[in-house]
Amino acid sequence: MTDTRIDPSVVDDRGRFDPSTADGRWQRAWAEAGTFTADSDSAKPKSYILEMFPYPSGRIHMGHVRNYTMGDVLARYQRMQGFEVLHPMGWDAFGMPAENAAMEKGVHPGGWTRQNIAQMKAQLQRIGFALDWTREFATCDPEYYGHEQALFVDLYEAGLVYRKESTVNWDPVDMTVLANEQVIDGKGWRSGAEVEKRKLNQWFLKITDFADDLLEGLDNLEDWPEKVRLMQENWIGKSQGLEFSFDLSNGDCVPVYTTRPDTIFGASFVAVAADHPVAQALAMNNCEVASFIARCKKGGTTAAELETAEKLGFDTEISARHPLTGADLPVYIANFVLMDYGTGAIMGVPGHDQRDFDFATKYALPITRVVASDPARADDPFAGEAEAGDGVIVNSGFLNGMSVDDAIQAVITRAEGEGWGTGRTVWRLRDWGVSRQRYWGTPIPFIHCDACGVVPVPKAQLPVTLPDDVNFDIPGNPLERHPTWKHADCPQCGKAARRETDTLDTFVDSSWYFLRFASQPADRPFDPEEVAKWMPVQHYIGGIEHAILHLLYARFWTRALAHIGKITVKEPFAALFTQGMVTHEVYSYVPENPSQIAVEEELKGNVTHRHVFEQFLDPSQVDMNTKRRVNDPPPTANSAGVAIGHKWAPQSEIQVGEFLIFPNVLETGEPVKVGRVIKMSKSKKNVVDPDAIIARHGADAVRWFMLSDSPPERDLPWSDAGIEGCSRFVQRLWRLFSAYDANAAGEDKSLDRKTHQTIAAVAADIEALGFNKAVARIYELTGAAEKAAPSASRSAAIRALVHLAAPMMPHLAEEVWAKMGNTTLIADAPWPDVDPALLVDDEVTIAIQHMGKLRDTITAPKGASKDALEALALASVNLQRSIDGAAVRKVIVVPDRLVNIVT
RNA sequence: GCGGGUGUGGCGGAAUGGUAGACGCCGGGGACUUAAAAUCCCCUGAUCUUUGAUCGUGCUGGUUCGAGUCCAGUCACCCGCACCA
């Protein structure tokens, strides 16, 4: 335990707690004592608490504050419970925004990133997080990405890295590859040009080698949210299906794969992808086919776009022979069939697949029912959509009457027996493409040699560092056009060769950062023994938006490193928690010109083309204080004294209690439209800057707000009233603590009970991450202690409260702790003990119901017998009035809970 | 389009199938004050014939002595969909 020798005389002793001096004082005290520096050699049990590290965008936002406050409470609580806690912080520092800033502002991505990191670190420190800053790093540090390059080479040598062609979004005007988010409505975000699909040779990681293991591992992740495990399971998408071939009328054959062989009798067409060999062959001497294929190449590459795009088909006039019925099916080239999935060709079963249904409807192809709810309904028509559900097979020869599952097996067995097809397990999961044609990322450490092919850069030459002298005046990859960087000698033959100019997906950086936090030797990525001391992460906290990609990639990367013997853990995160977003109302207005009418129509709810004129407003620009009583005349000036007169619009007023609030622009008095409560985002300007709030209310009030009210997995709506309430509570606790008297005498049994029940409940709530419930209990105990007369019990309650508040409001807790005469830090204090005898009440309230409806409540001793409770209930006047003389048919007694009389 | 989730007072929410609305915010009334701020006390789901009752957890049904909770369907919103992080 650290003796900080705090001089109690420096502690503010006036009426109010003053965060502006206290926050910094305690932040310095923790830093000087090294309170939160994790000791790998400690004999204590270890706990690794981690929140998803931030992208250094420039400013910390409320979402970060919420995320890190939750982790911080856990870290501080676990220290109080006697754990040696590792709670590190770093920066996910590579990525596109730095390059965008470079293009827009002419700054270097590295300089911009470093500056952002410095700013954001200072912001985090002002909130008083219990972080071990000695382990901080950024993924753009060559020391970090150099080790990443070494690991990438290791995986390459283990056969887990390969190259293949794959499709990217290509902007034909900017001559550059676009990220999915840079494609808006199928057009490039800068150029506005229609995006094309283009093939490039790219690097891949063999995540599919681990598909089964990643899937099975989910079963053991009991402390992960069920929904995340389900999402990952569906994403991996293991399915049993049939691969078989159609013989074509032109002599070729087309292999197809289907997960629904049970519906094979319902097939009414065959469709191939635009870049399928059959389509390509036709295009050679048919320009109609060629132009159709070119049309299919337009548009973006995302699943959502592909699946919502209009279904387009081209009838090749080739026919395919159905292997069971012998029927001739038309063969189409279709834009919704993808070469990357399965075999690049499908059998179309319109009755039982929505995409096929849409396609068949458009091209007037037959739609046959082969699955029905009941054999008698074999010829029911379709209600305008496909039926993908379960049922009984009909109109299907030897399959009739079977269940879907049995029919799948029966078709596979028959196909294998007759030799025209084979059962196959396939995965929806695809290998992970890690190539990015960008500058600001980890260079892929390979050299292309005309003689030796692709050769890894020898470990001794790592890191391959990024050149600093680059410019972003023109689009495209600066590494590609750098005058010297890409010229290197082949490590094998020594001849002139070329460096790989692709960089790694930033998801690679975040797939092993937690290992580097646990151990950071200079000469290796990590030390396996040190890693084993801390891993797996005991609590991993971050946004639900990472439910699939980041978490699956990190699970894969950890397995891959275990596979090549680098570490012993396979599963990186023992428990996962996904927190909700911080949201805020959106404020907007339409300037007086060009159209006042548009405002009024909008305010009346008649939506117009407002978006053309709509201006979003920062919450600080909006006046929410101009109000009047319902029967008062309209306001003539806003709260800043600006005349509003004709600008006042009755439709824009919001009723709150007896008042009508007129939201308006502070500076001009223009009426403001208060929109929906959505995630804080720069584009909607509904952001609240944590710094301004901390400056005004102190770190503890902000932390308290982040934990209060909303369950942590749900969205938290920011409100000024809410933060003010939190700020008041900080002062209220301070006043209560000021009333502390170490020498008070006397016992208050019921307060003792409340104190011990609260200690136990708050501990349980924190362990279950139910921070909002822990907060409510602290409010209750605070209220009870305020109302109680001075006594030893009351002093004990106040002492307990200081401990309970310590993980949540650490600055206030330290201040009070010092005022109480302690010379140690409460951050080092143990969590208070609970007396089990005080956890149970001796009296309980029993609900008395008649036919399940509450009629009365009574107080009874805990553990009273069923007979006694029944007798007490029947004695109730209210109950007897409700029964009104009817015969009692049944009495249900739930001990210590209720009695229900059934008549 | 596909996969996953959420829905309870004016607002955020609480509630092992067992008293719906704990706790907080907002609002109202009062105390203290020359006044204000701060603080403290009381009230605060709706309706009605108000010592009491009826209704009420997105919507429609079902199971149960009893449903916010379980089941079926439905609507709305949110997250993800492989190059945003």
Side-chain angles (χ1 to χ4, degrees):
Chain A
M1 212 173 269
T2 321
D3 187 345
T4 58
R5 311 249 168 235
I6 296 296
D7 175 1
S9 66
V10 306
V11 171
D12 183 276
D13 208 21
R14 288 161 300 173
R16 293 177 65 81
F17 172 64
D18 179 12
S20 67
T21 57
D23 286 2
R25 178 160 59 245
W26 297 107
Q27 286 157 14
R28 283 189 297 278
W30 298 322
E32 279 161 21
T35 306
F36 305 118
T37 305
D39 175 7
S40 303
D41 299 322
S42 165
K44 293 183 198 170
K46 294 193 174 53
S47 177
Y48 187 174
I49 310 279
L50 184 67
E51 301 96 52
M52 292 177 186
F53 66 164
Y55 178 79
S57 58
R59 304 287 295 170
I60 289 292
H61 57 71
M62 282 295 176
H64 294 127
V65 177
R66 190 177 190 205
N67 188 182
Y68 303 148
T69 301
M70 291 179 193
D72 202 59
V73 170
L74 280 176
R76 288 173 179 270
Y77 169 78
Q78 290 205 331
R79 291 188 80 254
M80 293 177 84
Q81 289 286 12
F83 287 89
E84 183 69 24
V85 172
L86 172 57
H87 186 215
M89 183 54 70
W91 311 95
D92 188 13
F94 276 135
M96 287 203 309
E99 293 196 12
N100 293 337
M103 282 179 236
E104 284 155 23
K105 297 171 199 155
V107 292
H108 188 275
W112 181 83
T113 303
R114 296 279 165 208
Q115 202 177 350
N116 288 347
I117 288 174
Q119 265 188 47
M120 291 171 74
K121 180 176 181 182
Q123 285 186 293
L124 290 181
Q125 288 175 324
R126 281 197 284 278
I127 311 172
F129 291 133
L131 292 164
D132 180 355
W133 286 107
T134 66
R135 295 175 189 244
E136 175 194 11
F137 63 82
T139 56
C140 64
D141 297 341
E143 299 78 46
Y144 182 80
Y145 71 72
H147 293 308
E148 184 167 305
Q149 290 167 336
L151 292 173
F152 189 77
V153 170
D154 289 337
L155 294 181
Y156 173 80
E157 281 162 359
L160 292 172
V161 174
Y162 68 103
R163 282 158 58 77
K164 73 167 179 187
E165 281 218 316
S166 84
T167 313
V168 294
N169 297 308
W170 180 256
D171 186 321
V173 170
D174 278 353
M175 304 291 279
T176 191
V177 176
L178 297 177
N180 285 336
E181 72 157 11
Q182 297 175 320
V183 179
I184 295 158
D185 296 331
K187 300 195 168 60
W189 69 335
R190 275 183 222 283
S191 68
E194 191 156 0
V195 170
E196 294 169 10
K197 301 183 186 80
R198 176 176 276 215
K199 295 228 157 182
L200 290 181
N201 217 350
Q202 309 207 71
W203 293 86
F204 281 82
L205 284 172
K206 278 194 188 169
I207 190 172
T208 52
D209 274 13
F210 293 80
D212 239 326
D213 196 35
L214 286 165
L215 182 65
E216 280 167 24
L218 292 172
D219 289 341
N220 302 322
L221 293 175
E222 282 142 25
D223 292 324
W224 279 42
E226 185 60 39
K227 62 179 170 182
V228 175
R229 291 193 279 167
L230 240 184
M231 281 192 257
Q232 291 212 352
E233 187 184 324
N234 291 335
W235 185 262
I236 294 168
K238 183 179 188 174
S239 67
Q240 181 70 39
L242 175 71
E243 183 170 326
F244 67 98
S245 290
F246 283 104
D247 290 327
L248 301 188
S249 56
N250 67 358
D252 282 348
C253 80
V254 176
V256 300
Y257 175 81
T258 174
T259 56
R260 290 293 304 273
D262 57 307
T263 62
I264 191 165
F265 284 90
S268 60
F269 64 95
V270 171
V272 301
D275 34 11
H276 192 279
V278 167
Q280 295 293 325
L282 282 174
M284 299 284 238
N285 31 28
N286 184 332
C287 59
E288 242 184 296
V289 174
S291 76
F292 179 77
I293 289 173
R295 200 172 154 201
C296 289
K297 282 201 192 303
K298 298 273 184 195
T301 59
T302 72
E305 261 181 307
L306 294 168
E307 283 167 34
T308 51
E310 191 193 358
K311 307 276 178 293
L312 294 176
F314 184 91
D315 188 350
T316 61
E317 289 168 8
I318 297 170
S319 67
R321 170 144 308 193
H322 192 293
L324 285 169
T325 66
D328 284 331
L329 306 181
V331 177
Y332 280 79
I333 301 166
N335 66 342
F336 68 96
V337 181
L338 300 175
M339 201 57 218
D340 297 342
Y341 294 87
T343 60
I346 60 149
M347 69 167 190
V349 185
H352 307 283
D353 181 287
Q354 191 57 43
R355 288 168 304 180
D356 297 351
F357 188 96
D358 295 342
F359 190 82
T361 307
K362 180 159 179 179
Y363 294 100
L365 295 163
I367 301 174
T368 318
R369 175 182 289 280
V370 289
V371 181
S373 57
D374 187 294
R377 317 190 64 169
D379 297 308
D380 277 12
F382 289 93
E385 59 181 14
E387 293 177 18
D390 208 351
V392 180
I393 307 295
V394 295
N395 301 325
S396 297
F398 74 101
L399 298 174
N400 284 341
M402 289 187 195
S403 70
V404 164
D405 287 342
D406 289 347
I408 289 173
Q409 283 315 311
V411 173
I412 291 172
T413 305
R414 174 131 172 198
E416 288 179 344
E418 295 175 356
W420 53 268
T422 47
R424 239 179 80 189
T425 300
V426 293
W427 306 87
R428 210 186 76 95
L429 180 68
R430 312 199 300 263
D431 274 336
W432 175 12
V434 292
S435 280
R436 298 294 181 269
Q437 294 70 39
R438 276 185 251 291
Y439 166 76
W440 194 232
T442 301
I444 294 178
F446 279 82
I447 288 172
H448 298 275
C449 170
D450 289 335
C452 311
V454 176
V455 182
V457 175
K459 293 254 177 95
Q461 291 174 28
L462 295 179
V464 175
T465 54
L466 292 166
D468 274 332
D469 51 336
V470 287
N471 68 73
F472 293 84
D473 302 343
I474 48 174
N477 185 353
L479 294 179
E480 184 68 43
R481 59 170 185 264
H482 190 278
T484 56
W485 188 80
K486 72 174 171 182
H487 302 297
D489 293 338
C490 172
Q492 252 169 45
C493 66
K495 288 192 204 124
R498 298 171 314 282
R499 260 188 214 296
E500 172 63 60
T501 55
D502 282 359
T503 49
L504 287 171
D505 180 4
T506 57
F507 274 128
V508 176
D509 308 334
S510 54
S511 287
W512 71 284
Y513 76 108
F514 42 89
L515 301 174
R516 184 73 184 167
F517 275 146
S519 161
Q520 32 197 234
D523 58 336
R524 294 162 293 164
F526 43 74
D527 176 301
E529 283 177 29
E530 288 278 296
V531 164
K533 287 180 183 174
W534 294 107
M535 289 292 290
V537 173
Q538 197 178 354
H539 282 285
Y540 192 40
I541 310 177
I544 184 69
E545 67 272 21
H546 295 294
I548 296 174
L549 293 181
H550 162 58
L551 289 165
L552 196 63
Y553 291 148
R555 292 181 65 220
F556 156 65
W557 193 267
T558 308
R559 276 171 167 71
L561 294 181
H563 178 72
I564 61 173
K566 295 278 173 190
I567 49 174
T568 51
V569 280
K570 253 173 49 170
E571 203 62 78
F573 313 121
L576 171 74
F577 189 83
T578 54
Q579 103 272 5
M581 301 175 298
V582 180
T583 56
H584 196 277
E585 288 170 335
V586 177
Y587 303 116
S588 60
Y589 83 115
V590 175
E592 208 160 331
N593 293 307
S595 170
Q596 179 66 22
I597 293 160
V599 185
E600 286 164 9
E601 288 298 302
E602 174 66 18
L603 292 170
K604 277 185 247 169
N606 305 333
V607 177
T608 63
H609 297 292
R610 181 184 181 100
H611 61 274
V612 177
F613 315 117
E614 187 170 30
Q615 305 281 315
F616 292 105
L617 290 160
D618 188 283
S620 63
Q621 296 173 274
V622 177
D623 168 26
M624 294 293 281
N625 295 320
T626 300
K627 57 183 179 180
R628 62 177 178 122
R629 285 189 185 264
V630 175
N631 294 320
D632 285 354
T636 53
N638 74 7
S639 70
V642 176
I644 45 184
H646 69 283
K647 294 173 187 159
W648 172 78
Q651 302 91 331
S652 75
E653 288 183 314
I654 301 169
Q655 183 151 14
V656 176
E658 292 187 351
F659 291 95
L660 292 169
I661 292 174
F662 176 67
N664 67 93
V665 183
L666 257 179
E667 283 191 5
T668 63
E670 298 276 355
V672 167
K673 185 194 175 208
V674 177
R676 297 195 316 134
V677 178
I678 58 167
K679 179 181 183 172
M680 288 188 179
S681 80
K682 271 187 193 166
S683 62
K684 295 283 187 292
K685 290 199 180 175
N686 60 336
V687 289
V688 174
D689 182 27
D691 266 4
I693 303 294
I694 290 165
R696 181 151 173 204
H697 299 284
D700 289 342
V702 177
R703 296 169 59 110
W704 189 251
F705 183 89
M706 291 292 133
L707 300 165
S708 303
D709 294 355
S710 285
E713 68 278 9
R714 264 201 247 164
D715 291 350
L716 171 67
W718 178 266
S719 84
D720 291 339
I723 186 67
E724 274 156 28
C726 291
S727 193
R728 277 200 300 274
F729 183 67
V730 170
Q731 298 301 336
R732 189 175 149 200
L733 264 184
W734 175 255
R735 283 193 304 275
L736 176 65
F737 293 149
S738 304
Y740 174 73
D741 174 4
N743 302 316
E747 191 188 45
D748 180 339
K749 198 75 182 172
S750 84
L751 183 60
D752 286 343
R753 274 209 191 88
K754 184 86 186 165
T755 301
H756 284 256
Q757 287 168 356
T758 304
I759 295 168
V762 168
D765 286 336
I766 290 177
E767 280 168 31
L769 285 80
F771 304 112
N772 57 321
K773 290 185 239 175
V775 161
R777 292 184 204 283
I778 290 174
Y779 274 118
E780 284 187 64
L781 182 58
T782 302
E786 283 169 340
K787 287 186 178 73
S791 66
S793 299
R794 184 175 191 241
S795 301
I798 294 174
R799 264 198 313 279
L801 271 169
V802 179
H803 288 84
L804 301 188
M808 306 186 185
M809 298 193 259
H811 308 90
L812 173 74
E814 293 289 3
E815 191 86 356
V816 173
W817 190 241
K819 250 184 86 163
M820 286 177 168
N822 297 289
T823 53
T824 54
L825 291 167
I826 197 163
D828 287 323
W831 189 255
D833 288 327
V834 170
D835 177 357
L838 290 170
L839 293 182
V840 280
D841 289 317
D842 45 13
E843 281 195 327
V844 288
T845 305
I846 307 288
I848 298 179
Q849 299 179 337
H850 174 215
M851 305 297 284
K853 290 195 172 183
L854 183 72
R855 287 292 109 109
D856 204 354
T857 57
I858 55 170
T859 305
K862 193 177 173 68
S865 73
K866 286 192 168 196
D867 289 346
L869 289 176
E870 183 177 336
L872 282 168
L874 289 169
S876 158
V877 176
N878 284 347
L879 178 78
Q880 288 300 338
R881 182 172 50 227
S882 179
I883 291 175
D884 194 23
V888 174
R889 287 197 291 127
K890 195 173 173 187
V891 179
I892 290 152
V893 181
V894 182
D896 295 337
R897 277 279 182 185
L898 63 75
V899 180
N900 186 16
I901 308 293
V902 183
T903 58

